[in-house]
Amino acid sequence: MLFRYFFVAEQYLGKALSPIEINKLLYFYDELHFSTDLMEYLIEYCVSKGSHSIRYIETVALSWADRISQLLNRQRRQPLHTTKITLRFCARLGLKTEIRLMKKSAT
């Protein structure tokens, strides 16, 4: 699954991935819990902004992770206000664990 993603990333970036770049992408997947779809969108977004730099991609990924975390924390504090839109947003980002937690805390 990740090998396919690495191939896609190489296509967007227009070059073979270095070991450092592969480690950064693995960090997004393992530590930030980004789905491969979200990671693909991340690279597509950064390239569309004119950057092929892994440092820029990492900066954007960390910013997105922070925003997602803030959204989820706000929803966890107010579980009765969890909306279908928020659940759909999380589903699109591949955040299945977070969706289960929000649904569980709402009951």
Side-chain angles (χ1 to χ4, degrees), residues 12-25:
Y12 277 116
L13 298 175
K15 64 182 183 107
L17 296 174
S18 71
I20 291 172
E21 291 168 328
I22 290 172
N23 284 334
K24 294 286 184 189
L25 298 176

Side-chain angles (χ1 to χ4, degrees), residues 2-66:
L2 285 177
F3 293 116
R4 181 192 156 287
Y5 169 70
F6 293 149
F7 175 77
V8 170
E10 288 177 338
Q11 299 307 304
Y12 277 116
L13 298 175
K15 64 182 183 107
L17 296 174
S18 71
I20 291 172
E21 291 168 328
I22 290 172
N23 284 334
K24 294 286 184 189
L25 298 176
L26 288 172
Y27 172 78
F28 303 156
Y29 184 79
D30 291 334
E31 300 299 323
L32 300 181
H33 306 289
F34 280 16
S35 68
T36 54
D37 288 339
L38 180 58
M39 292 187 338
E40 183 176 338
Y41 178 71
L42 168 69
I43 291 181
E44 180 183 348
Y45 172 82
C46 292
V47 169
S48 76
K49 296 294 183 184
S51 181
H52 292 75
S53 161
I54 194 64
R55 183 67 189 124
Y56 177 76
I57 294 168
E58 179 183 29
T59 300
V60 173
L62 293 172
S63 172
W64 287 7
D66 184 53

